[in-house]
């Protein structure tokens, strides 16, 4: 139970054992992926045939394409990166505006609007994807039938992927940033105004700096969620596949360990992102 | 900044309008209107090329074709099982983080539990595939140890799908559970113990009632994500996965039968919404509170 109550020895032992098993369960798949990125064999499977960097740098004579030589894979990483940047920028901008709207403005229907903002979070990603796909196609068809204009960006492709991911990631950014703005002490703004600062100056020097941790935090989450998104993207993707879609396609075919290499790269990248964020929040806490 | 007195100057109204615009554009152009359109799409039938009429044909097909509703029910049941298992596995871990450890150990354990979820679901699924497929790590190991005569295929079973789903969902259960356990005052447990309660009755009468909001939040989110998952059932279940999102994908992308796909999408949305609603009603909570907690 809790430390202050007598706990039988067997229960304590079982707890420790369970915890160990749980952590093993959590990390086994990740460790496996990492280890087989270095196996000197054409498939990511045992037995261990020795250490190699072929799946990163490639090996022409053996006919192995490494991560750094795999144009298709590299360009899909770039595609994901560009999409994630757009989604992050849009979500944080709209999320910040929404935070001010919900915490500061007064208007009719605010309660309903704040409920509506949570709705994207309870719609399965696949359905967000198909609804946006169908709606965008309808507008595109309408435009081409009535006005004879081809709205290329409304056909499956990266602009739609950005919109699809943004449609629910914006809700997360809104919640995170609003929560921080709610805790803001407004007397700080009043003091600055009394001291002669303009509204714009107050916003720039007091309110936005206060919101910065929430904005950075939600930017990181938005970036990560966009980079990893699969469901919505699957429905909206056109010719240029982002990384998750590309990896999915290859996993179904039974791919070489180059997928392990790119996975390891992803793990290291997200670990670095997580560490940077934690350091930031640590420094702030001190 | 936007505090304008009621009925204030046009400047205030303009400001409010400008601030409302992105939110309204986002919610209506990307959420409300597409779903209305999807509903309309699901209630029409193609009579001739470019000729459509209102009908319930898509929904009739769903109920008339056993394959479709069978997959639908199967997806719902498997998601419910996955949610229950996730709760079961996450409970002791969350309790350890919240109550049995303190300070740095607790924080470290929490972070360690979160790490796998910073990694893409695709990568995690790749890990399970390498571990479980016939030529993979575990079957080879089992054969080597003499547990099985030959390596057995561990992929493409229902249990495999459940392992993958539980793995993917753990974070969404651990976080709300830890939060609700942390807010439980230890002295309540001590008091219950002094009054003669044992582990079972304390759990039943003190811990679970207190943690109900967290448990509900976790279960709702996990069920919803599981129901809408595509990657994990598809890759770990292979042809046997029979997940409803795959049916939606097939209708929409492979067969280009958008009307049927839209109807399927709506049925999935209805099930997901119904479950959220039942969860909220059962625990007497408000939607907004739960979503903010999760």
């Amino acid at each position: 139970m809790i430390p202050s109550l007598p706990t039988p020895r067997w229960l304590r032992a079982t707890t420790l054992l369970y915890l160990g098993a749980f952590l093993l369960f959590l990390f086994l798949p990740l460790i496996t992926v990492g280890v087989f990125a270095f196996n000197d064999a054409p498939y990511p499977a045992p037995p261990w045939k020795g250490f190699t960097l072929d799946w990163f740098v490639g090996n022409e004579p053996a006919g192995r394409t490494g991560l750094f030589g795999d144009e298709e894979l590299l360009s899909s990483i770039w595609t994901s990166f560009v999409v994630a940047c757009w989604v992050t920028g849009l979500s944080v901008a709209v999320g910040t505006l929404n935070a001010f709207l919900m915490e500061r403005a007064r208007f009719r229907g605010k309660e309903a609007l704040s409920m509506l903002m949570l709705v994207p979070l309870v719609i399965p990603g696949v359905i967000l994807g198909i609804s946006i796909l169908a709606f965008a196609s309808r507008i595109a068809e309408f435009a081409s039938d009535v006005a004879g204009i081809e709205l290329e960006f409304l056909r499956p492709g990266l602009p739609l992927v950005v919109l699809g991911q943004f449609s629910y990631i914006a809700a997360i950014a809104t919640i995170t940033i609003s929560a921080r703005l709610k805790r803001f002490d407004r007397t700080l703004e009043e003091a600055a105004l009394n001291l002669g600062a303009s509204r714009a100056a107050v916003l720039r020097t007091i309110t936005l700096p206060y919101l910065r941790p929430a904005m950075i935090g939600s930017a990181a989450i938005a970036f990560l969620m966009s980079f990893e998104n699969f469901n919505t993207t699957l429905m909206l993707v056109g010719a240029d596949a982002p990384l998750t879609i590309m990896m999915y396609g290859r996993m179904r075919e039974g791919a070489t360990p180059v997928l392990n290499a790119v996975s390891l790269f992803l793990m290291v990248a997200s670990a670095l992102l997580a560490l940077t964020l934690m350091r930031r929040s640590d420094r702030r806490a001190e | 900044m936007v505090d304008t007195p009621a009925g204030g100057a046009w400047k205030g109204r303009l400001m409010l309008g400008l601030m409302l615009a992105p939110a309204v554009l986002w919610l209506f152009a990307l959420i409300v209107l597409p779903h209305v359109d999807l509903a309309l799409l699901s209630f029409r039938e193609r009579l001739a090329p470019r000729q459509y009429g209102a009908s319930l044909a898509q929904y009739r097909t769903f109920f008339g074709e056993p394959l479709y509703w069978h997959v639908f029910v199967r997806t719902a049941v498997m998601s419910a099982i996955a949610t229950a298992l996730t709760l079961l596995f996450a409970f002791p871990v969350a309790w350890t983080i919240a109550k049995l450890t303190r300070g740095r150990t607790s924080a470290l354990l929490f972070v360690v539990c979160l790490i796998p979820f910073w990694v893409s679901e695709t990568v995690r699924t790749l890990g399970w595939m390498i571990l479980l497929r016939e030529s993979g790590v575990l079957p080879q190991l089992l054969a080597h140890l003499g547990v099985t005569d030959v390596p057995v295929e561990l992929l493409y079973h229902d249990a495999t799908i459940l392992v993958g789903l539980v793995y993917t969902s753990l974070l969404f259960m651990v976080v709300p559970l830890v939060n609700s356990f942390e807010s439980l005052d230890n002295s309540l447990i001590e008091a219950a113990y002094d009054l003669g309660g044992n582990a079972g009755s304390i759990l039943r009468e003190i811990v679970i009632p207190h943690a109900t909001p967290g448990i509900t939040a976790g279960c709702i989110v996990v069920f919803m994500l599981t129901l809408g998952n595509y990657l994990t059932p598809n890759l770990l279940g292979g042809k046997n996965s029979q997940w409803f999102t795959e049916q939606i994908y097939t209708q929409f992308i492979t067969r280009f039968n958008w009307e049927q796909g839209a109807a399927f999408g709506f049925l999935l949305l209805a099930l997901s919404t119904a479950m959220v609603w039942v969860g909220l009603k059962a625990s007497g909570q408000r939607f907004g509170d739960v979503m903010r907690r999760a």
Side-chain angles (χ1 to χ4, degrees):
Chain A
M1 296 302 289
I2 54 175
S4 55
L5 296 182
T7 311
R9 190 182 284 274
W10 65 266
L11 187 60
R12 232 177 291 174
T14 316
T15 312
L16 266 181
L17 215 62
Y18 178 77
L19 212 59
F22 185 82
L23 291 180
L24 187 70
F25 176 68
L26 280 191
F27 285 93
L28 200 57
L30 303 186
I31 295 169
T32 312
V33 168
V35 167
F36 281 100
F38 301 103
N39 190 15
D40 194 1
Y43 293 105
W48 183 254
K49 293 249 184 80
F51 181 88
T52 179
L53 285 176
D54 283 2
W55 304 113
F56 290 88
V57 295
N59 182 347
E60 289 270 342
R64 288 176 178 175
T65 315
L67 168 60
F68 302 128
D70 194 325
E71 294 293 337
E72 212 182 32
L73 217 50
L74 288 179
S75 87
S76 77
I77 294 179
W78 176 247
T79 304
S80 284
F81 180 78
V82 172
V83 168
C85 285
W86 274 99
V87 172
T88 307
L90 281 172
S91 301
V92 173
V94 172
T96 310
L97 262 175
N98 287 346
F100 278 102
L101 185 69
M102 299 328 279
E103 296 302 322
R104 299 293 176 82
R106 268 170 295 174
F107 56 93
R108 253 188 304 163
K110 186 168 146 182
E111 217 18 57
L113 194 68
S114 89
M115 276 292 152
L116 195 57
M117 282 184 179
L118 298 173
V119 166
L121 298 177
V122 291
I123 301 175
V126 170
I127 296 170
L128 278 179
I130 58 171
S131 68
I132 291 174
L133 173 66
F135 187 55
S137 300
R138 190 185 284 255
I139 297 178
E141 243 142 69
F142 184 77
S144 102
D145 284 355
V146 173
I149 315 166
E150 268 314 313
L151 296 174
E152 214 29 64
F153 72 98
L154 290 177
R155 303 294 182 182
L158 297 184
L160 274 195
V161 170
V162 169
L163 286 179
Q165 296 182 354
F166 164 79
S167 72
Y168 81 96
I169 293 176
I172 298 167
T174 301
I175 292 173
T176 320
I177 301 172
S178 298
R180 185 155 173 98
L181 188 59
K182 199 192 272 297
R183 293 197 306 267
F184 180 67
D185 181 2
R186 293 200 63 184
T187 54
L188 290 175
E189 281 180 355
E190 283 157 22
L193 285 172
N194 284 341
L195 292 170
S198 67
R199 279 182 176 265
V202 173
L203 185 66
R204 208 178 54 245
T205 56
I206 312 272
T207 323
L208 285 184
Y210 171 81
L211 284 182
R212 223 172 72 177
M215 288 165 76
I216 292 174
S218 55
I221 291 172
F223 191 89
L224 203 72
M225 293 196 101
S226 162
F227 211 91
E228 294 183 356
N229 183 280
F230 181 81
N231 288 349
T232 310
T233 309
L234 181 69
M235 298 295 170
L236 296 170
V237 77
D240 308 308
L243 185 60
T244 46
I245 304 291
M246 173 72 65
M247 285 180 71
Y248 168 72
R250 290 203 185 179
M251 276 158 80
R252 282 165 55 111
E253 295 159 10
T256 65
V258 77
L259 279 193
N260 295 57
V262 74
S263 301
L264 191 65
F265 164 80
L266 281 186
M267 286 194 259
V268 171
S270 17
L272 287 179
L273 185 63
L275 275 180
T276 326
L277 277 181
M278 267 188 262
R279 283 216 115 131
R280 279 192 76 95
S281 60
D282 270 2
R283 260 214 315 271
R284 202 160 287 277
E286 273 162 18
Chain B
M1 240 110 284
V2 260
D3 251 325
T4 47
W10 63 272
K11 222 173 156 183
R13 282 175 176 268
L14 182 70
M15 191 74 182
L16 181 63
L18 283 177
M19 294 196 64
L20 265 170
V24 169
L25 206 60
W26 157 44
L27 291 169
F28 281 85
L30 293 178
I31 306 293
V32 175
L33 291 179
H35 282 86
V36 171
D37 186 43
L38 197 68
L40 293 177
L41 200 59
S42 77
F43 284 112
R44 73 176 200 187
E45 186 185 11
R46 189 155 147 184
L47 303 170
R50 310 214 75 176
Q51 270 235 309
Y52 300 95
S55 96
L56 288 172
Q58 315 306 339
Y59 293 93
R60 267 203 298 274
T61 311
F62 172 79
F63 289 105
E65 175 67 62
L67 172 73
Y68 293 147
W69 60 261
H70 183 228
V71 170
F72 186 75
V73 172
R74 176 186 148 82
T75 307
V77 171
M78 290 276 281
S79 299
I81 298 174
T83 308
L85 288 176
T86 309
L87 178 62
L88 198 68
F89 287 131
F91 200 101
V93 177
W95 187 260
T96 311
I97 292 172
K99 291 291 177 198
L100 300 184
T101 50
R102 238 173 274 145
R104 286 192 81 86
T105 326
S106 167
L108 188 70
L109 195 58
F110 196 35
V111 169
V112 165
C113 283
L114 298 190
I115 288 175
F117 304 97
W118 281 79
V119 179
S120 156
E121 193 184 352
T122 330
V123 175
R124 288 180 257 149
T125 311
L126 178 65
W128 282 115
M129 288 174 80
I130 297 173
L131 279 171
L132 298 178
R133 72 168 144 236
E134 198 182 341
S135 61
V137 179
L138 283 184
Q140 297 283 341
L141 190 70
L142 289 179
H144 189 73
L145 293 176
V147 181
T148 54
D149 294 333
V150 286
V152 285
E153 181 64 88
L154 294 178
L155 274 184
Y156 316 130
H157 302 291
D158 285 358
T160 322
I161 301 179
L162 284 175
V163 167
L165 290 173
V166 168
Y167 185 82
T168 302
S169 310
L170 277 170
L171 161 86
F172 301 96
M173 195 63 94
V174 168
V175 172
L177 283 184
V178 166
N179 287 338
S180 59
F181 289 159
E182 270 176 351
S183 67
L184 173 62
D185 194 342
N186 276 350
S187 57
L188 287 176
I189 300 173
E190 285 158 4
Y193 182 79
D194 291 340
L195 292 168
N198 57 26
S201 65
I202 292 176
L203 191 68
R204 212 170 45 245
E205 286 170 36
I206 311 279
V207 178
I208 290 180
H210 176 85
T212 301
I215 294 174
T216 319
C219 286
I220 288 178
V221 172
V222 169
F223 183 81
M224 222 179 59
L225 291 177
T226 310
L227 201 61
N229 201 323
Y230 182 96
L231 193 71
T232 300
N234 187 273
L235 286 175
L236 296 183
K239 286 196 175 66
N240 304 330
S241 67
Q242 304 198 24
W243 212 253
F244 201 64
T245 47
E246 293 170 341
Q247 298 285 347
I248 298 178
Y249 181 84
T250 307
Q251 296 296 344
F252 245 84
I253 311 290
T254 319
R255 294 201 191 154
F256 217 67
N257 184 353
W258 284 18
E259 286 78 17
Q260 190 65 68
F264 285 179
F266 249 84
L267 288 162
L268 190 73
L269 188 61
L271 176 63
S272 158
T273 313
M275 279 299 176
V276 172
W277 189 80
V278 166
L280 291 178
K281 278 283 164 251
S283 63
Q285 292 181 86
R286 288 180 53 234
F287 172 62
D289 300 339
V290 170
M291 288 321 292
R292 287 193 186 90
R293 189 174 289 117

